[in-house]
Amino acid sequence: MAHRLLRDAEADGWERSDFPIICESCLGDSPYVRMTKADYDKECKICTRPFTVFRWRPGRDARYKKSEICQTCSKLKNVCQVCLLDLEYGLPVQVRDTALSINSNDAIPKSDVNREYFAEEHDRRARAGIDYESSYGKVRANDTILKLQRTTPYYKRNRAHVCSFYIRGQCTRGLECPYRHEMPETGELS
């Protein structure tokens, strides 16, 4: 790994960006968001290349969010860098691909060398101004996907988890506890 640190990051195809590609739900409902940026902090969960990681808190009572995949993979699949839901419809990728009849198994190569070449080639095309050859923008939405799509952001998913110690009556942190102090909903569908 030491030899990679001495070389130019641009030559290795490492990604550096100024702002993440995220959905409205992950950004939160507050107009004021303070983000931290760490260049080449993690490797992408899909293509395993180092990328810029952004971390922020979408609201006062929310959990911290951070980007999980690089912008190249996000653009190729048209998904949020954090929650990996589709940016246009707000659906999981597999549901979207099934509804639109897109075969995404062949999209990103499996081997390390091919995956690296594939990502570098798409980065090169993006810098040259050539649009991505993504099939997501070319497919027309059908009735199924229009019924399934999320039309408004869902901010409740940013909330902190319920404190398991509070449920048992044993939480000693009080107001300093980072988890929610409320009883979980009970019922047939919970």
Side-chain angles (χ1 to χ4, degrees), residues 85-86 89-102 104 142 144-145 148-149:
L85 294 178
D86 182 67
Y89 303 110
L91 296 171
V93 178
Q94 188 173 7
V95 173
R96 178 209 52 198
D97 290 350
T98 305
L100 293 176
S101 302
I102 296 173
S104 63
N142 55 20
T144 308
I145 203 159
L148 293 173
Q149 84 175 6

Side-chain angles (χ1 to χ4, degrees), residues 65-99:
K65 300 267 188 183
K66 64 181 176 185
S67 51
E68 299 291 340
I69 63 172
C70 67
Q71 286 196 353
T72 304
C73 294
S74 176
K75 289 176 186 174
L76 282 172
K77 293 184 170 283
N78 193 32
V79 295
C80 174
Q81 281 187 276
V82 179
C83 64
L84 303 180
L85 294 178
D86 182 67
L87 289 171
E88 190 173 345
Y89 303 110
L91 296 171
V93 178
Q94 188 173 7
V95 173
R96 178 209 52 198
D97 290 350
T98 305

Side-chain angles (χ1 to χ4, degrees), residues 27-30 32-33 56-64 158-160 175 177-178:
L27 191 56
D29 55 351
S30 174
Y32 307 105
V33 177
W56 71 96
R57 198 168 172 183
R60 195 174 62 82
D61 298 329
R63 294 176 286 159
Y64 277 96
N158 293 335
R159 297 188 312 171
L175 294 174
C177 185

